[in-house]
Amino acid sequence: MDVWCLIAQYIRPEDIGRFAGICRLTHYITHTANFWWRLYQRYYQSNASLPEGLQPEIMERHHGLKTRVIRALFYLYPELIQRTKSTIPFENEPYCLEGARCVLMWHRVIKTSWNFYFKFQKYTGQLCSYIAARHDENCDVDLYNGFNDIDHNPDRGCITLQVSCLNFIAVPMVMGMILNKVYLNVGQEMRHHRLRLQFGSLRSKHASSRIDSANTIMLTLDPVSNVRVFQWWDPKYPAHTYR
């Protein structure tokens, strides 16, 4: 045990998954608050421009510690910083969002561009298991450990789609609906792109299957100057709730 704890102090962030898979002890070590706190201290720099919620005094809280450390590493660790740098427009295609549910949508003006945001959540059985446990009379909920869960992450499985348009476009309300199909092609004026998002109340099992048009909304954005997809750990992921 002491040997593995010593080795854990030198594990690089990109090797944590491999280290955790060695044996049960290494898996346990990577699920301790001490491991993530030491990892944060190893790469923390006082001159780094970290958000308020990722400062050392906030890291003293165990609840959600792992999530905050991972987000902080994308500000501090060069290899991870490089992964989130975007060099060309349309570098991240939105097709990976098919099958996810839209849980939030908003827009804002940035200089001369209108940015439309759609927050999606992919299905995971974790939330369903938690809800089932809360309704199980025979299941004891440990409130103390629940509020000291270092793995806590309210944005788990969430991805944000940012669509930059040249002008304002009135879009229909699609919150709560599932994105069944994404179409990205040349716009009407042949100068920019057009993005069409097909939403439905149910998941489409096959791309070629016929979907009930009464329960389908086609959201069209045109002209589009850029499309970006942000994972929850990306520094550009909007509306971070680090605390």
Side-chain angles (χ1 to χ4, degrees), residues 4-237:
W4 288 121
C5 289
L6 181 62
I7 296 175
Q9 299 179 21
Y10 302 93
I11 298 298
R12 298 180 303 175
E14 62 267 32
D15 295 329
I16 293 176
R18 288 186 285 269
F19 176 74
I22 294 176
C23 64
R24 290 185 178 182
L25 284 178
T26 57
H27 182 268
Y28 169 78
I29 290 172
T30 58
H31 283 76
T32 61
N34 183 62
F35 172 81
W36 291 100
W37 172 241
R38 286 179 178 272
L39 185 66
Y40 175 81
Q41 288 182 312
R42 194 192 316 167
Y43 295 103
Y44 173 75
Q45 299 174 1
S46 58
N47 60 347
S49 56
L50 285 173
E52 181 182 355
L54 299 180
Q55 295 295 334
E57 57 271 18
I58 303 298
M59 292 297 180
E60 295 179 2
R61 305 174 184 175
H62 283 191
H63 193 60
L65 175 62
K66 175 181 175 180
T67 301
R68 293 194 298 274
V69 172
I70 292 175
R71 282 174 164 160
L73 288 173
F74 279 89
Y75 287 91
L76 302 171
Y77 189 61
E79 283 75 4
L80 297 182
I81 294 174
Q82 192 64 32
R83 294 184 186 182
T84 58
K85 285 186 177 180
S86 180
T87 56
I88 58 175
F90 298 92
E91 185 175 5
N92 300 323
E93 296 183 341
Y95 302 106
C96 63
L97 298 172
E98 293 182 356
R101 185 182 299 274
C102 180
V103 296
L104 191 63
M105 57 185 295
W106 71 98
H107 65 268
R108 65 176 61 164
V109 183
I110 300 180
K111 295 182 179 179
T112 60
S113 176
W114 285 83
N115 285 352
F116 293 85
Y117 298 89
F118 303 89
K119 183 177 180 180
F120 292 91
Q121 186 171 38
K122 292 194 172 183
Y123 172 79
T124 59
Q126 183 175 5
L127 179 61
C128 295
S129 299
Y130 173 76
I131 295 175
R134 290 296 301 271
H135 287 81
D136 186 357
E137 298 179 354
N138 299 321
C139 180
D140 296 328
V141 179
D142 190 341
L143 293 179
Y144 176 79
N145 290 327
F147 285 103
N148 285 273
D149 181 12
I150 67 169
D151 292 318
H152 175 73
N153 182 5
D155 286 324
R156 188 189 306 274
C158 291
I159 306 174
T160 297
L161 171 66
Q162 175 188 299
V163 185
S164 301
C165 299
L166 301 181
N167 51 266
F168 175 77
I169 301 173
V171 297
M173 177 63 65
V174 294
M175 285 176 54
M177 303 188 73
I178 296 172
L179 179 61
N180 285 322
K181 197 66 180 176
V182 176
Y183 304 91
L184 181 62
N185 46 36
V186 179
Q188 186 175 2
E189 298 180 359
M190 306 297 290
R191 296 174 55 190
H192 301 282
H193 285 75
R194 175 177 61 181
L195 178 66
R196 293 189 299 157
L197 306 174
Q198 180 180 279
F199 289 89
S201 57
L202 299 174
R203 287 183 176 85
S204 176
K205 296 182 179 180
H206 305 285
S208 59
S209 62
R210 192 171 182 177
I211 303 176
D212 185 5
S213 58
N215 298 321
T216 300
I217 293 180
M218 182 65 76
L219 189 154
T220 303
L221 295 168
D222 184 16
V224 173
S225 59
N226 197 6
V227 174
R228 307 184 71 179
V229 177
F230 302 124
Q231 301 284 348
W232 64 264
W233 57 78
D234 195 307
K236 295 178 288 297
Y237 182 86

